[in-house]
């Protein structure tokens, strides 16, 4: 850098520190008189004896001349007049290959309390999605090692899909299977709003040492402030973007995007936004596309994303499920009725779709997948007649074929948790079951 450029940069440096004071705290919201700051800036609130402890907070709005802050941690020890220091910078996290195999919190710090390794790069958590004209088309499939998905709901490199399910239907188990078996270069897994008990259980049981060794896990448990749950999603996306820009094919999984929406609803209501459908504020429906569109392909690499969506009372048309389904490139529906029958993964093939499958696999594969769906649909539509004995064999060739093949199809759709099946094996088994489409 030339001396003149250095002098110019030094001249532009802001050497002043700006302070304000806490005016009041209402619920999640901290209102302070000053400091001068912008939306998204991080501020430090100095609390405790001789102001030795710092609480990080973020500017989320303004009320008249006052600044509205939301804390990253608990707000114990904040009192009227506590000093608020502006950093004039948004939240940044440290990222690098050294983090692979780590479990981090929402702001990118190791969850076990250890120190971050040296040589990491700083990146902002809030970034813009790639330019639509700079997104290469999705042209090739990615192997996830789950036979049902690879054969009937093929995912493309850079595709974004949603797993829609109620609680306790096997979302975490399915994510663990994908993380262990996928051919992606790296997994970035965000556990947002999870119960504390489930975090270690997921890492040790569902993910396992094999999965963790090629993953970065970001955790924001349900007891943490709403802002931390939102930041967990943004931090995970920023980490995935960093590795995508290095030319890698990243598999990103977020469980669950519904809890991100709930956290944004908490913040929106706290700062005075009007509630709309089911109490969700307008900012919820603004933040979802901004977050979900950041994944996908760009000119350097790709992020294949799987988002889980919790559906209240198994209602697939509730506001968040409906919005997310419209943004993503496919949806997989986990069916409680199938789980109750012991069919795992409990994906209802007839209610699920991969919107890019027909563009990334050959014609024979597409026709065989359609044939299996057709046979399964025929059986499901006639199931009541078959079960009560009202159907007479020979009345319909299609129903006869569906009855003959149904047990084999169910065996094909089932897969043990730690069973890995390659993409080619899945296709060959599909062809041997329903024939090769011509």
């Amino acid at each position: 850098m030339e001396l003149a450029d250095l002098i110019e940069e030094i001249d532009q440096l802001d050497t002043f520190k700006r302070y304000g004071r806490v005016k009041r705290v209402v619920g999640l919201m901290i209102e302070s008189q000053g400091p001068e700051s912008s939306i998204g800036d991080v501020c430090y609130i100095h609390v405790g004896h001789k102001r030795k402890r710092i609480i990080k907070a973020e500017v989320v709005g303004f009320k008249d001349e006052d600044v509205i802050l939301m804390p990253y941690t608990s707000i114990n020890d904040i009192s009227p007049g506590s000093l608020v220091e502006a950093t004039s910078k948004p939240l940044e996290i440290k990222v690098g290959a050294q983090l692979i195999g780590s479990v981090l919190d929402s702001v990118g710090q190791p969850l076990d309390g250890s120190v971050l390794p040296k040589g990491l790069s700083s990146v902002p958590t809030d970034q813009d999605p790639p330019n639509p004209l700079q997104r290469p088309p999705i042209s090739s499939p990615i192997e996830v090692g789950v036979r049902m998905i690879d054969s009937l709901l093929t995912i493309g490199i850079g595709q974004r899909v949603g797993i829609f399910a109620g609680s306790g239907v096997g979302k975490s188990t399915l994510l663990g299977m994908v993380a262990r078996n996928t051919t992606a270069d790296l997994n970035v897994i965000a556990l947002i709003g999870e119960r504390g008990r489930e975090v270690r259980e997921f890492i040790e049981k569902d993910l396992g040492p094999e999965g963790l060794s090629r993953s970065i896990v970001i955790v924001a448990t349900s007891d943490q402030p709403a802002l931390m749950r939102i930041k967990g999603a943004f931090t995970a996306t920023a980490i995935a973007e960093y590795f995508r820009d290095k030319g890698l094919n990243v598999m990103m999984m977020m469980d669950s995007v519904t809890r991100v929406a709930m956290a944004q609803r908490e913040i929106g209501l706290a700062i005075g936004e009007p509630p709309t459908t089911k109490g969700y504020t307008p900012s919820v429906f603004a933040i979802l596309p901004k977050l979900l569109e950041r994944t996908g392909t760009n000119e350097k690499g790709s992020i294949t994303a799987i988002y889980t969506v919790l559906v209240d009372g198994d209602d697939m048309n509730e506001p968040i499920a409906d919005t997310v389904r419209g943004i993503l490139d496919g949806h997989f529906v986990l069916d409680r009725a199938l789980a109750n029958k012991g069919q795992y993964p409990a994906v209802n093939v007839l209610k699920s779709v991969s919107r890019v499958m027909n563009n990334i696999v050959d014609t024979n594969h597409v026709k065989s997948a359609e044939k299996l769906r057709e046979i399964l649909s025929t059986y499901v539509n006639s199931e009541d007649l078959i079960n009560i004995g009202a159907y007479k064999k020979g009345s319909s060739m299609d129903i006869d074929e569906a009855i003959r093949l149904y047990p084999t199809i169910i065996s094909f759709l089932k897969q043990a948790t730690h069973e890995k099946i390659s993409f080619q094996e899945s296709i060959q088994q599909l062809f041997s079951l329903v024939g090769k489409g011509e």
Side-chain angles (χ1 to χ4, degrees):
M1 189 180 282
E2 294 292 330
L3 182 60
D5 295 334
L6 278 172
I7 293 170
E8 189 179 345
E9 277 205 17
I10 292 168
D11 285 342
Q12 289 176 355
L13 282 175
D14 187 355
T15 55
F16 289 98
K17 284 194 173 183
R18 293 175 172 81
Y19 293 96
R21 290 198 177 275
V22 171
K23 194 173 175 182
R24 64 175 186 159
V25 175
V26 181
L28 303 170
M29 181 183 71
I30 302 164
E31 203 172 303
S32 82
Q33 204 162 7
E36 184 184 321
S37 52
S38 306
I39 294 284
D41 283 357
V42 175
C43 291
Y44 298 146
I45 303 173
H46 298 265
V47 298
H49 180 61
K50 295 185 179 179
R51 298 176 182 149
K52 284 187 177 178
R53 194 162 80 83
I54 287 174
I55 293 175
K56 279 188 180 179
E58 185 173 303
V59 178
V60 295
F62 304 100
K63 185 178 180 183
D64 299 326
E65 298 296 316
D66 295 333
V67 178
I68 299 175
L69 302 155
M70 299 291 283
Y72 288 140
T73 54
S74 67
I75 57 175
N76 295 342
D77 297 334
I78 292 181
S79 56
S82 290
L83 203 62
V84 181
E85 178 188 342
T87 65
S88 301
K89 292 191 299 185
L91 179 67
E92 290 190 341
I93 55 164
K94 299 282 189 180
V95 193
Q98 302 95 311
L99 292 181
I100 297 172
S102 302
V103 182
L104 310 174
D105 66 12
S106 297
V107 291
Q109 295 296 316
L111 202 61
D112 60 5
S114 60
V115 179
L116 282 171
K118 303 287 185 185
L120 301 177
S121 304
S122 292
V123 296
T125 58
D126 199 354
Q127 300 182 50
D128 292 327
N131 186 315
L133 295 180
Q134 293 175 350
R135 286 185 183 267
I138 297 168
S139 56
S140 53
I142 187 169
E143 180 181 311
V144 297
V146 179
R147 178 172 48 211
M148 170 196 289
I149 295 174
D150 282 340
S151 59
L152 303 175
L153 299 163
T154 312
I155 297 174
I157 295 175
Q159 185 178 352
R160 302 158 307 140
V161 298
I163 296 177
F164 293 73
S167 54
V169 192
K171 295 184 303 300
S172 297
T173 304
L174 181 56
L175 290 182
M177 289 175 72
V178 173
R180 289 192 307 273
N181 300 337
T182 180
T183 53
D185 299 318
L186 171 72
N187 299 312
V188 176
I189 303 168
L191 303 177
I192 309 298
E194 286 287 333
R195 293 181 283 272
R197 174 188 63 81
E198 290 184 327
V199 172
R200 188 165 178 179
E201 197 174 280
F202 174 83
I203 292 168
E204 293 181 358
K205 182 182 169 187
D206 294 327
L207 192 56
E210 179 192 353
L212 184 59
S213 66
R214 53 201 295 264
S215 304
I216 299 172
V217 183
I218 295 86
V219 175
T221 50
S222 57
D223 58 291
Q224 292 183 316
L227 192 60
M228 284 293 269
R229 281 174 268 147
I230 292 174
K231 286 299 168 188
F234 278 76
T235 294
T237 307
I239 291 171
E241 287 170 328
Y242 171 86
F243 287 103
R244 174 180 64 186
D245 291 344
K246 295 289 182 187
L248 299 185
N249 291 324
V250 182
M251 173 66 75
M252 179 177 161
M253 288 170 267
M254 188 180 293
D255 183 17
S256 75
V257 73
T258 309
R259 293 193 178 112
V260 177
M262 289 175 173
Q264 182 60 37
R265 176 173 64 181
E266 282 182 47
I267 291 175
L269 292 172
I271 63 175
E273 277 191 82
T276 55
T277 319
K278 282 206 171 179
Y280 288 104
T281 56
S283 62
V284 173
F285 301 102
I287 201 176
L288 286 175
K290 189 179 177 187
L291 175 65
L292 304 182
E293 285 289 348
R294 285 171 61 180
T295 53
T297 58
N298 72 359
E299 68 276 14
K300 296 174 183 174
S302 71
I303 302 172
T304 307
I306 299 177
Y307 298 96
T308 68
V309 182
L310 281 168
V311 287
D312 292 337
D314 294 337
D315 175 14
M316 296 296 164
N317 296 315
E318 60 97 27
I320 299 304
D322 214 28
T323 303
V324 172
R325 189 165 51 236
I327 296 168
L328 300 179
D329 311 316
H331 54 273
F332 302 166
V333 177
L334 296 190
D335 196 324
R336 193 176 299 280
L338 297 179
N340 291 342
K341 291 178 184 177
Q343 181 181 322
Y344 289 101
V347 178
N348 188 322
V349 175
L350 301 178
K351 292 181 180 178
S352 306
V353 66
S354 169
R355 292 183 186 169
V356 304
M357 177 177 172
N358 290 2
N359 302 329
I360 59 175
V361 299
D362 61 45
T363 309
N364 289 339
H365 184 171
V366 172
K367 288 186 176 179
S368 295
E370 287 175 351
K371 175 69 174 171
L372 189 143
R373 281 172 175 269
E374 193 180 308
I375 294 169
L376 190 59
S377 176
T378 300
Y379 185 90
V380 169
N381 290 337
S382 311
E383 190 169 18
D384 289 342
L385 291 176
I386 295 165
N387 289 341
I388 64 172
Y391 173 75
K392 291 185 179 178
K393 190 177 180 182
S395 302
S396 165
M397 288 178 62
D398 290 341
I399 297 177
D400 287 346
E401 182 187 30
I403 293 170
R404 179 174 60 82
L405 289 176
Y406 184 71
T408 318
I409 288 173
I410 295 303
S411 297
F412 175 81
L413 297 177
K414 286 183 179 181
Q415 185 171 330
T417 305
H418 289 276
E419 182 184 3
K420 181 178 179 179
I421 300 166
S422 72
F423 188 85
Q424 288 305 321
E425 281 181 286
S426 299
I427 308 312
Q428 289 306 318
Q429 288 177 26
L430 174 65
F431 289 161
S432 65
L433 178 59
V434 295
K436 195 171 184 178
E438 298 297 340

